[in-house]
Amino acid sequence: MTFVEAAIEILKHEGRPLHVKKLTELAIARNLLSLVGKDPEGQMQARLLAELKKTTGETPLTRGAAAGTFGLKIYPP
């Protein structure tokens, strides 16, 4: 699973925006990432920011109110 896919899955499950550090911790703990590397938190943040920049409203992701937080535009019930 990619960093973006893992973040979306976690955010759907948690139902609220999370800091990139918490997203990374949960993704690793739940074995959602196929490749972690030396700086998984940096990778997660870079991938999520890139996802937000490259898509024109097609991604379910959004930036949270606090720095370094990400959420979903719409959370499942």
Side-chain angles (χ1 to χ4, degrees):
M1 189 176 277
T2 68
F3 282 91
V4 174
E5 292 168 340
I8 292 170
E9 183 68 29
I10 290 167
L11 291 168
K12 284 180 181 177
H13 184 264
E14 295 296 317
R16 62 188 173 91
L18 294 173
H19 190 272
V20 70
K21 183 174 183 171
K22 187 66 173 177
L23 281 170
T24 306
E25 288 173 3
L26 291 172
I28 292 170
R30 296 177 186 173
N31 293 317
L32 296 178
L33 300 174
S34 55
L35 181 63
V36 177
K38 290 183 179 181
D39 182 21
E41 188 177 324
Q43 278 287 87
M44 177 71 79
Q45 185 161 7
R47 299 293 169 93
L48 295 178
L49 289 172
E51 178 70 14
L52 289 173
K53 286 181 183 178
K54 79 174 184 177
T55 58
T56 56
E58 298 168 10
T59 183
L61 291 172
T62 187
R63 292 190 75 163
T69 60
F70 295 89
L72 297 175
K73 292 176 184 172
I74 300 172
Y75 288 92

